[in-house]
Amino acid sequence: MSEARGIVGESDLHAYVDGQLDTDRRADVEAWLDAHPQDAERVAGWSVQNERLRDAFSADFASLPTDHGLLQPKRAASLRPLARLARPAIATAAALVLFVSGFAAGRLVPGGAHPPAMPAVTELASEARTAFLIYTSEVRHPVEVGADQQQHLAAWLGKRLDYRLHLPDLSSLGYGLVGGRLVPVGGKPGALLMYQNQEGRRLTMMIGRNDEHRETSFRLDTTGPVRTFYWIDGPIGYAVSAEIPAEQLRAVADECYRQMEAA
Amino acid sequence: MPRGPDNGTGETGSPKESPAGGAVPASFEDALLALVPGLRRYSHSLARSDADGEDLLQDCVETVLARRAQWRGVNLRSWAFTIMTNLYRNRHRAAVRRPTTVIEDAQDVAVPDQTGDPLERARIRAALESLSPENRTTLMLVVVEGYSYQETADILAIPIGTVMSRLSRARHQLAEQLAKDNIVALRRPK
């Protein structure tokens, strides 16, 4: 059997998985794996891991038409100082908390009350993020009802949510309505609205009902790459999600809140 | 060639371009532009989000341009990857000191359209967050970028034995993290 051909070590197993062995050594390792099922299992696991990593990062990062801009120092210089300056200034947790609470208390939340995050509220943010990830990547069927049937969309989703739904107009921020769909939110019928700007960047707004909620709160969830601003207004919860800078997302949430309140 | 681009001198090799300092500007920029897709893939595989990845890419391109006089005319790709690795490590250290840095990428960056499964990428990224920057860069250079162990050792300025031990740790940790997901990846038919 294979034992006579020499010992195969862990480095050989890695090199086998990574395709870094010559033909002879490959044959040695394959013979070894036939005789050592535990090693064969490890190697199979690593291969799957490799594939998942490559799938996750390989396919999508081709050239962009804007890549030329990366090489122009002027563009870089004009864009970046703000971010650079901002880093030390806003990077501490304290500053962030002040920033969010100041924003919430000063501009949005009557009374500035800050109840601790309730499980159902955090769940809304996580559901909103998942819905964003799933639906914004749809190319052909991102929504069930398109923006061309706005009145029908508002009436239909409003009926399922049991409240008069106003579809926010975000054109002042460069986002047009794509449409919406019915989604489960906290185990009940909810709405997901999708918007898109001229560059094709999408954001979603999730609306759900929870009759046990009475307090109002406003939060920013930045646990993942996708940011979510969410707030509870009586029995209705709202969550705006996008993969855009926090301040842009904040502007969107602010606008939505203003319009929802006025409606 | 154990040293990074800023430390070594007199490296020999077969220059693809003219020697350092004498490179024609247009060709340097063209060469760099051709590297952008690979650099972008690497930066996104290291970053916590696509926005962070674009930010890291921008930092890297700027740094390469700023240091072009120090380039010795050999293997621009490896040099750029070395710079990216160092920028990532610096950021990672900074991020550990101040964990709330999510707003720092508040810039208007173009992020490529993605066709892959964003949930899967989010899952992989979450699992990769548990790896040290050393183990993560090693794993990405070998697996995603397809560098040989020796090339990886050169880029990271470490012995090849260290590449192997980092790779081993990275695979072990990543497997543990992904197992916590309770999601079994199915092998695709080839």
Side-chain angles (χ1 to χ4, degrees), chain B residues 3 8 14 20 22 79 115 123 126 129 165 171 190:
Chain B
R3 293 262 62 95
S14 48
W79 186 50
T115 53
R123 211 150 43 218
E129 282 299 311
S165 57
R171 285 192 159 131
K190 289 280 177 193

Side-chain angles (χ1 to χ4, degrees), chain A residues 44-55:
Chain A
W46 294 342
S47 300
V48 172
Q49 214 182 64
N50 278 6
E51 263 183 62
R52 289 182 74 180
L53 287 171
R54 288 180 194 133
D55 281 353

Side-chain angles (χ1 to χ4, degrees), chain A residues 107-129:
Chain A
R107 298 182 64 190
L108 286 167
V109 179
H114 270 281
M118 299 185 61
V121 179
T122 339
E123 196 183 308
L124 174 65
S126 126
E127 284 184 323
R129 186 165 53 237

